[in-house]
Amino acid sequence: MNDEPKDEVICGCSGTTVGQILALIEQGTTDMDRISRITGVLSGCGGCEFDVQELVNNHKDSA
Ligand code: FES
């Protein structure tokens, strides 16, 4: 599953896009806490947690 649009906002609270998360995963950052601290995801409502985790799960092995 590599068809996520990179400019799609995955976390409305922080405005973080799919592409920003993918860039971090490519750099080897797959820890949710670190991704949260760097991008601001999960720092608001928390509603993006499942989507962010799924993105990490789908891409961490190809990083
Ligand atoms: S959508 Fe990510 S914290 Fe609210």
Side-chain angles (χ1 to χ4, degrees):
M1 207 168 90
N2 290 307
D3 54 357
E4 296 94 350
K6 286 195 177 5
D7 57 356
E8 183 181 302
V9 173
I10 196 167
C11 173
C13 292
S14 65
T16 303
T17 62
V18 168
Q20 285 175 274
I21 304 287
L22 289 179
L24 285 176
I25 298 170
E26 276 163 24
Q27 291 163 23
T29 304
T30 56
D31 182 76
M32 291 287 280
D33 286 341
R34 269 191 82 192
I35 292 173
S36 173
R37 276 201 302 276
I38 294 168
T39 65
V41 296
L42 307 179
S43 61
C45 70
C48 56
E49 179 170 7
F50 179 82
D51 289 336
V52 174
Q53 184 69 68
E54 192 176 63
L55 200 61
V56 169
N57 288 344
N58 286 343
H59 293 275
K60 65 182 174 187
D61 293 332
S62 56

